[in-house]
Amino acid sequence: MTSARPKAVCVDHDWVGRSDCSRCAVLHIVPFAPLPLTDLEEFLGPVTNFQLARGARLLGPESHANAVITLRSGFVKLFETAPSGRERIVRLLGPGDVVGLEALHAPPYLHAAESLTPVDACHLPIPVVHAIEARMPELHASMLARWHRSLEQADRFLVELLDGPAPTRVARLLLMLVELAGDSAPPRLTRLDTASAVDIAPETASRVLTRFIGDGILVEERDSFRIDREALRTIARS
Amino acid sequence: MTSARPKAVCVDHDWVGRSDCSRCAVLHIVPFAPLPLTDLEEFLGPVTNFQLARGARLLGPESHANAVITLRSGFVKLFETAPSGRERIVRLLGPGDVVGLEALHAPPYLHAAESLTPVDACHLPIPVVHAIEARMPELHASMLARWHRSLEQADRFLVELLDGPAPTRVARLLLMLVELAGDSAPPRLTRLDTASAVDIAPETASRVLTRFIGDGILVEERDSFRIDREALRTIARS
DNA sequence: CGAACGTTTGAACGATGTCAAGCGGGGTGG
DNA sequence: CCACCCCGCTTGACATCGTTCAAACGTTCG
């Protein structure tokens, strides 16, 4: 209480926005954990919270892969540059997701990560994760689930987003984005990001989207968008 | 010794082909493990070895996901049918790989798996894996490595095989197949499988491959093939 | 020997990529 | 506060690669 060292963010009940910790992919278990608080403090001290603007780089293959990042709010794209030089988006992450999972097994990070919206996130050094894992086996299962989800999403990109004509792909992407967002507002991607997610030319993305807008199926806002779910689902089915 | 129950295959030194166990993704650690043999017997009893012809189904989303399969030899494709109805190959597995990893976390299997060549494999019920894991923490790291590899390959499909013109893609696929095979003979895919791996029409695959053959870059044998590595790498770079 | 399947080959169409020019809005600097 | 500039987006025209449809071939297997 009178300690000079500041409280670990995760444990500080006075911390503004602590409520979002319930979404923390790694530590959502902690509040219910049977560990004495003082122990937790020691573990969680190195965990730091930070915010980023849209378009910021979270990490890349060049960074030291010694931490994972959990998203409290905001959206992130994981991408690689293909041999052709084109940028290819391979995954999309949202609130509650973990960025840089691979680091948990071995460096380097497999992709680059950039924010698609303003982002609120926490930085967890790998040793912290392992320390918690050692004491709380539940975390292990939770991490396995993360790997599972990552694979599932990679496969969805392969099977859903890269299948069929351009309008179909874009429709599926939009649906995927609102699904990812849950109750929060889905992020509006640039035409270029849209294009590199579904592997079409930016110009084609533009044409498809302006057509959707013209048909009243899609409404774009500054940073988000709204859709006619049913109409898009029909297009997505083709 | 005089027991009526047959010896667990993994432990039976008289078992023909036991040498291939050193390649077993899950149990390659076992021979060096500090566990008493009798213990091992009990664990490994339910492990069964089996062979399949080319084109056989190993498992699918419909199967009870209560086991993983380790490939001792042969090649397997993992595929899903896309919304368009087309079959899309999402991963290729070879000797030493694990089929149905997902089951380790939760059912169902995420894909269908079919042999591309005759296959020699072992069937490991999930409880067996967990039992070994409990006693041998090394296995845990080894399993993490599996998830890691799966993700890496999924990403390679996304970034390498689905990028650039048809000849480039096919070239990359062929190179990937010989890499996957290591010292064994790479499997010759049907035109249809080739096509659904790199997302082109079977006819296009045919045209590309006959051209490669004409150029002396590729030689097809009954079940395998040989390539001019350098020439293909050049095409793959484009 | 025949049937079935995978493959080859041809020809024509069409969706999408490419190239190029113009537009608009937001941010910066004067 | 305004003007300019830059960047992302739009729009058009055109070229092209790959798909599609169709037919014939060869091999394997019953």
Side-chain angles (χ1 to χ4, degrees):
Chain A
M1 306 279 169
T2 62
S3 146
R5 187 155 58 84
K7 249 182 187 163
V9 283
C10 313
V11 180
D12 183 357
H13 279 82
D14 298 334
W15 175 34
V16 187
R18 200 188 107 87
S19 61
D20 276 346
C21 285
S22 61
R23 281 200 198 134
C24 177
V26 176
L27 299 175
H28 70 276
I29 319 165
V30 168
F32 313 110
L35 294 180
L37 254 197
T38 54
D39 256 27
L40 274 182
E41 282 267 358
E42 192 171 326
F43 280 156
L44 303 180
V47 175
T48 57
N49 174 248
F50 63 95
Q51 289 78 227
L52 290 174
R54 172 188 178 141
R57 165 155 303 209
L58 296 182
L59 53 81
E62 72 285 356
S63 352
H64 291 269
N66 51 12
V68 298
I69 293 172
T70 75
L71 281 183
R72 287 156 48 82
S73 73
F75 297 85
V76 166
K77 64 172 172 180
L78 300 188
F79 61 98
E80 256 172 272
T81 58
S84 68
R86 279 185 132 70
E87 172 180 305
R88 293 259 20 229
I89 295 181
V90 297
R91 236 153 289 160
L92 292 168
L93 304 180
D97 282 328
V98 174
V99 189
L101 229 208
E102 322 89 65
L104 233 42
H105 174 251
Y109 293 125
L110 295 177
H111 332 273
E114 254 182 53
S115 54
L116 296 167
T117 63
V119 149
D120 180 1
C122 285
H123 183 267
L124 286 103
I126 303 287
V128 173
V129 180
H130 282 144
I132 303 175
E133 248 175 352
R135 296 239 192 161
M136 305 178 53
E138 309 92 287
L139 186 56
H140 228 302
S142 159
M143 281 300 153
L144 256 199
R146 294 285 149 190
W147 287 98
H148 197 262
R149 273 176 53 94
S150 292
L151 261 186
E152 261 180 329
Q153 220 206 357
D155 290 336
R156 274 187 81 183
F157 267 69
L158 274 166
V159 173
E160 285 181 28
L161 293 191
L162 300 181
D163 175 66
T168 302
R169 299 181 182 201
V170 175
R172 297 210 187 107
L173 174 63
L174 293 176
L175 288 166
M176 188 181 284
L177 282 169
V178 324
E179 181 191 331
L180 181 67
D183 27 300
S184 52
R188 170 153 131 53
L189 305 190
T190 65
R191 305 289 122 132
L192 205 148
D193 280 343
T194 306
S196 50
V198 303
D199 195 34
I200 58 180
E203 293 93 333
T204 305
S206 175
R207 285 185 244 266
V208 170
L209 287 170
T210 49
R211 182 156 160 270
F212 283 176
I213 293 173
D215 295 351
I217 287 177
L218 169 67
V219 181
E220 293 193 314
E221 296 158 4
R222 195 188 208 333
D223 301 307
S224 184
F225 64 89
R226 283 171 297 117
I227 58 171
D228 178 339
R229 256 187 160 96
E230 280 320 312
L232 279 184
R233 261 197 261 268
T234 308
I235 298 175
R237 238 181 301 274
S238 91
Chain B
M1 309 279 170
T2 60
S3 146
R5 188 154 59 83
K7 249 182 189 163
V9 283
C10 313
V11 179
D12 183 358
H13 280 83
D14 297 335
W15 176 33
V16 186
R18 200 188 108 86
S19 61
D20 276 344
C21 285
S22 60
R23 281 201 199 132
C24 176
V26 176
L27 300 175
H28 69 278
I29 320 167
V30 168
F32 313 109
L35 294 181
L37 255 194
T38 54
D39 256 26
L40 275 183
E41 283 267 359
E42 191 171 327
F43 280 155
L44 303 180
V47 175
T48 57
N49 173 247
F50 63 95
Q51 290 79 226
L52 290 174
R54 171 187 179 143
R57 163 153 307 209
L58 296 183
L59 52 81
E62 72 286 355
S63 354
H64 291 270
N66 52 11
V68 298
I69 293 173
T70 75
L71 281 183
R72 289 156 45 84
S73 72
F75 298 85
V76 166
K77 63 172 172 181
L78 299 189
F79 61 98
E80 258 173 86
T81 58
S84 68
R86 279 185 132 69
E87 172 181 305
R88 293 259 19 230
I89 296 182
V90 297
R91 237 153 289 158
L92 292 169
L93 304 180
D97 282 329
V98 174
V99 189
L101 228 209
E102 322 90 65
L104 233 41
H105 174 253
Y109 293 123
L110 295 177
H111 332 272
E114 255 182 52
S115 54
L116 297 167
T117 62
V119 149
D120 180 1
C122 284
H123 183 268
L124 285 103
I126 302 287
V128 172
V129 180
H130 283 144
I132 303 176
E133 249 176 353
R135 297 241 191 161
M136 305 177 55
E138 311 93 286
L139 186 57
H140 228 302
S142 159
M143 280 301 154
L144 256 200
R146 293 286 149 192
W147 287 97
H148 197 262
R149 273 175 53 93
S150 292
L151 261 186
E152 262 180 329
Q153 221 206 355
D155 291 337
R156 275 187 80 184
F157 267 69
L158 274 167
V159 174
E160 287 181 29
L161 293 191
L162 301 181
D163 174 68
T168 302
R169 299 181 182 201
V170 175
R172 296 209 187 107
L173 174 63
L174 294 175
L175 287 166
M176 186 181 283
L177 282 169
V178 323
E179 182 191 329
L180 180 67
D183 29 299
S184 52
R188 170 153 132 51
L189 304 190
T190 66
R191 305 290 122 132
L192 205 149
D193 280 343
T194 306
S196 51
V198 303
D199 194 34
I200 57 180
E203 293 92 332
T204 305
S206 174
R207 286 184 244 267
V208 169
L209 287 169
T210 48
R211 183 157 159 271
F212 283 176
I213 294 173
D215 294 352
I217 286 177
L218 167 67
V219 182
E220 293 194 314
E221 297 158 3
R222 192 182 211 340
D223 302 306
S224 183
F225 64 89
R226 282 171 298 117
I227 58 172
D228 178 340
R229 257 189 161 98
E230 280 321 312
L232 279 185
R233 261 197 260 268
T234 308
I235 298 175
R237 239 182 300 274
S238 94

